[in-house]
Amino acid sequence: MFAPLADGKRAAGLPFGATQGSKLVVHARGLQNREPGFESRLPCLKFHTVYRTFNTERRREFVRITEDVEDAVREAGIQEGMVLVAAMHITAAVWINDDEPGLQADTLEWLDKIAPPSWKEPDGETARDLLPNAGDYRHHRGGEDNGDAHLKNLLVHHQVIVPVTDGRLDLGPWQQVFYCEFDGGRPKRLVIKVMGE
Amino acid sequence: MFAPLADGKRAAGLPFGATQGSKLVVHARGLQNREPGFESRLPCLKFHTVYRTFNTERRREFVRITEDVEDAVREAGIQEGMVLVAAMHITAAVWINDDEPGLQADTLEWLDKIAPPSWKEPDGETARDLLPNAGDYRHHRGGEDNGDAHLKNLLVHHQVIVPVTDGRLDLGPWQQVFYCEFDGGRPKRLVIKVMGE
Amino acid sequence: MFAPLADGKRAAGLPFGATQGSKLVVHARGLQNREPGFESRLPCLKFHTVYRTFNTERRREFVRITEDVEDAVREAGIQEGMVLVAAMHITAAVWINDDEPGLQADTLEWLDKIAPPSWKEPDGETARDLLPNAGDYRHHRGGEDNGDAHLKNLLVHHQVIVPVTDGRLDLGPWQQVFYCEFDGGRPKRLVIKVMGE
């Protein structure tokens, strides 16, 4: 059984504000002014790169970093642009979701069923079945034990791009940015790169 | 058993056009012209931000938004750049795939097995096993029933970036952009942010 | 059972270099110079678009493309910016992870359990249960047999954005970029789009 789906239909857009349809804000900057000094009013593209190092106490941890991303945007001094937030490791991730402890516990329990660690007992029959057929991750032949963390990195994804509008992160009311550690207890880096004007 | 894989091998690139190797198009714009009026030909970085609000009839729905993204690029008037398309909610997603109803039905059935709702019977033993061990999502303690939609948001991802080349979305022949609603029936926002020149 | 999580706590950032806290590098370029010739030192936004076509021998293959992305950045001649790397097909993906054959074999085996092909025997009970209830993917009604590859595209995601700092890909020590083919043996395109100055 499956629910019927709209195939290719465009949604009946409900107004968010008072008017029907989408809300439009244009931030195009022209170069019409040719009087002396005009060049100081030219668009000035800025790049600002911040590195953060995490060394979590626990092996797995969700660390809220919305404020770090906001700081980077403020330091860059841009009004319009985008911020890339990317884990520089392959056993961590960056996630935008609710800052709600219950949800985070649900998510980690679920991730351990879908991408099961081999350093603890499988959590149920599905987790047991999703472990490697060879008995353990092939990746562990080199002495590692973090094969599951690579799969969790794949599932959660290692990066997000946050839009910047009017100098602020253009996020929805419940969206918070998290660094997701799946193999912690050692220094691991994150890059925040701001691009805009 | 697993299929053998190419480890680090670079693919034998087949020509898409008539020549061997990759096709190259350079869009670098210089500032060589210093005669009067040169400044009007300077690169003019533009930002254009469009918000769309969806209020789907069904709880879950795939809504094609390729045309909305194209509209935003046209309104911005850029030839080269990128467009960020991001759900501003944590129980929705943005997906690029085929506009084919069978595929969408397959995908929703599969998502319900992998990230099972607790507001309906689990679809098979795997879905039953992937439900929270505590009996229901911890996230539901606050009165919500959309824990599965948060996991679907994680799986599908809440955003994409589409390249813009020669004033058009630089997508493959079958790529369409979808807003994926997993907890609808109420107004939810999407941001489309165009950046380019 | 689930591990307790930090809810919203900011991590105790350990120094990556010698000092406590985050390492900061600012790449903002001003327009202070108004003497003759200043315009040649204005920021010059560049766009560079490269298409690559893959025709893998095997149906599924991980192809390392870090060097292709580096080449595109060098050809663009930018020092600061971002590179978008996106599959233009809906049955392929782009992944950043370790270039380690064991990990790649683990990942493909796992992807076949999570998003099972119907063109071969399911790999275990979970894979059997995750196949479509209708007996085969609805998407196959049109003669296709690649329904699982669309789900793998969803899981791995079809694109990444790599930051460029000081003219180089700003990746962590183990991060390599891969084109992931899940339905090969035919020409398929990838777009690499560089944006920066």
Side-chain angles (χ1 to χ4, degrees):
Chain A
M1 292 304 303
F2 63 96
L5 292 169
D7 45 75
K9 186 175 77 63
R10 293 177 67 163
L14 263 206
F16 187 79
T19 56
Q20 185 70 24
S22 66
K23 188 177 156 196
L24 215 87
V25 186
V26 183
H27 299 278
R29 289 180 175 77
L31 289 168
Q32 289 78 19
N33 195 333
R34 294 171 56 189
E35 70 199 45
F38 81 91
E39 68 274 24
S40 66
R41 290 189 294 280
L42 283 177
C44 177
L45 191 60
K46 290 176 186 171
F47 298 95
H48 182 48
T49 312
V50 178
Y51 303 96
R52 290 270 298 145
T53 302
F54 300 95
N55 194 339
T56 59
E57 282 174 46
R58 300 187 199 90
R59 182 160 183 150
R60 289 95 65 77
E61 213 165 298
F62 292 90
V63 185
R64 176 165 146 173
I65 56 170
T66 316
E67 292 76 10
D68 299 78
V69 182
E70 284 171 344
D71 287 351
V73 169
R74 190 167 37 242
E75 289 159 11
I78 68 162
Q79 290 297 304
E80 294 293 318
M82 296 183 188
V83 199
L84 173 64
V85 186
M88 299 180 81
H89 284 260
I90 50 194
T91 52
V94 177
W95 188 37
I96 289 186
N97 215 283
D98 200 356
D99 190 357
E100 200 276 288
L103 178 70
Q104 289 166 17
D106 287 338
T107 302
L108 186 56
E109 183 186 90
W110 175 79
L111 283 170
D112 271 353
K113 290 178 175 180
I114 295 276
S118 61
W119 48 263
K120 65 174 192 174
E121 271 301 295
D123 185 1
E125 283 313 300
T126 298
R128 191 178 306 277
D129 204 28
L130 290 175
L131 279 166
N133 296 337
D136 196 4
Y137 291 98
R138 293 159 188 86
H139 183 55
H140 293 179
R141 289 170 193 157
E144 303 277 358
D145 71 344
N146 60 7
D148 71 295
H150 289 267
L151 299 180
K152 290 176 170 88
N153 157 288
L154 182 152
L155 284 164
V156 184
H157 216 57
H158 81 289
Q159 65 182 195
V160 298
I161 297 256
V162 184
V164 177
T165 307
D166 296 330
R168 306 185 63 137
L169 302 186
D170 205 348
L171 292 169
W174 303 103
Q175 288 184 311
Q176 299 290 342
V177 189
F178 290 91
Y179 171 76
C180 306
E181 180 59 82
F182 299 120
D183 185 30
R186 54 194 175 103
K188 293 173 76 172
R189 289 218 295 170
L190 173 95
V191 58
I192 302 173
K193 184 143 199 142
V194 186
M195 180 175 175
E197 70 174 37
Chain B
M1 293 306 304
F2 62 97
L5 292 167
D7 46 75
K9 185 174 77 65
R10 293 177 67 163
L14 263 207
F16 188 78
T19 55
Q20 184 70 23
S22 65
K23 188 178 156 196
L24 217 87
V25 186
V26 183
H27 299 277
R29 288 179 175 75
L31 290 167
Q32 288 78 18
N33 194 333
R34 294 172 56 190
E35 68 198 46
F38 82 91
E39 69 273 23
S40 66
R41 291 188 294 280
L42 281 177
C44 176
L45 192 59
K46 290 177 187 171
F47 298 94
H48 181 48
T49 312
V50 178
Y51 303 96
R52 290 270 299 145
T53 301
F54 300 95
N55 195 339
T56 58
E57 282 174 47
R58 300 188 198 88
R59 182 162 184 150
R60 289 94 67 78
E61 212 165 298
F62 292 90
V63 184
R64 176 166 146 173
I65 56 170
T66 316
E67 291 77 9
D68 299 78
V69 183
E70 284 170 346
D71 288 351
V73 169
R74 192 168 35 245
E75 289 158 12
I78 69 162
Q79 290 297 305
E80 293 293 318
M82 297 183 188
V83 199
L84 174 64
V85 186
M88 299 181 81
H89 284 260
I90 51 194
T91 52
V94 177
W95 188 37
I96 290 186
N97 215 283
D98 200 357
D99 191 357
E100 200 276 288
L103 178 70
Q104 289 166 18
D106 288 337
T107 302
L108 185 57
E109 183 186 89
W110 175 79
L111 283 170
D112 271 353
K113 290 178 175 180
I114 295 276
S118 61
W119 47 264
K120 65 173 192 174
E121 272 299 297
D123 184 1
E125 283 314 301
T126 298
R128 190 178 306 276
D129 204 28
L130 290 176
L131 278 165
N133 296 337
D136 196 4
Y137 291 98
R138 294 158 188 86
H139 184 55
H140 294 179
R141 290 171 192 157
E144 303 276 359
D145 72 345
N146 60 7
D148 71 297
H150 289 268
L151 300 180
K152 289 176 170 88
N153 157 288
L154 182 152
L155 284 164
V156 183
H157 216 56
H158 81 290
Q159 65 182 198
V160 298
I161 298 255
V162 184
V164 177
T165 307
D166 295 330
R168 307 185 62 137
L169 302 185
D170 205 347
L171 292 169
W174 303 103
Q175 288 184 310
Q176 299 290 341
V177 190
F178 291 90
Y179 171 76
C180 306
E181 181 59 83
F182 298 120
D183 185 31
R186 54 195 174 103
K188 293 173 79 171
R189 289 218 294 170
L190 173 95
V191 58
I192 302 173
K193 184 144 199 141
V194 186
M195 180 175 176
E197 70 173 37
Chain C
M1 293 306 303
F2 63 97
L5 292 169
D7 47 75
K9 186 173 76 65
R10 293 178 67 163
L14 263 208
F16 187 79
T19 56
Q20 184 69 24
S22 65
K23 188 179 158 195
L24 215 87
V25 187
V26 182
H27 299 278
R29 289 180 174 74
L31 290 168
Q32 289 77 18
N33 196 332
R34 294 172 57 189
E35 68 200 46
F38 82 91
E39 67 274 25
S40 67
R41 291 189 294 279
L42 282 177
C44 177
L45 191 59
K46 291 177 186 169
F47 298 94
H48 182 47
T49 311
V50 178
Y51 304 96
R52 289 269 299 144
T53 302
F54 300 95
N55 195 339
T56 59
E57 281 174 47
R58 300 188 198 89
R59 182 161 185 150
R60 291 94 65 76
E61 212 165 297
F62 292 90
V63 185
R64 177 165 147 174
I65 56 170
T66 315
E67 291 76 12
D68 299 78
V69 183
E70 284 171 345
D71 288 351
V73 169
R74 191 168 36 245
E75 289 159 12
I78 69 162
Q79 290 297 304
E80 293 293 318
M82 296 183 188
V83 199
L84 174 64
V85 186
M88 299 180 82
H89 284 259
I90 51 193
T91 52
V94 176
W95 188 37
I96 289 186
N97 215 284
D98 200 357
D99 190 356
E100 200 276 288
L103 179 70
Q104 289 166 17
D106 288 336
T107 302
L108 185 57
E109 182 186 270
W110 175 79
L111 283 170
D112 271 353
K113 290 179 174 181
I114 296 277
S118 62
W119 48 264
K120 64 173 191 174
E121 272 300 296
D123 184 1
E125 283 313 300
T126 297
R128 190 178 307 275
D129 204 28
L130 290 175
L131 278 166
N133 295 337
D136 195 5
Y137 291 99
R138 294 158 188 85
H139 184 55
H140 294 178
R141 290 172 192 157
E144 303 278 358
D145 71 344
N146 60 7
D148 70 296
H150 289 268
L151 300 180
K152 289 175 171 88
N153 157 288
L154 182 153
L155 284 164
V156 183
H157 215 57
H158 81 289
Q159 65 182 195
V160 298
I161 297 257
V162 183
V164 176
T165 306
D166 296 329
R168 306 185 63 138
L169 302 185
D170 205 348
L171 292 169
W174 304 103
Q175 289 183 310
Q176 299 290 341
V177 190
F178 290 91
Y179 171 76
C180 306
E181 181 59 83
F182 299 121
D183 185 31
R186 53 193 176 106
K188 295 174 77 171
R189 288 219 295 170
L190 173 95
V191 57
I192 302 173
K193 184 143 199 143
V194 186
M195 179 174 176
E197 72 174 36

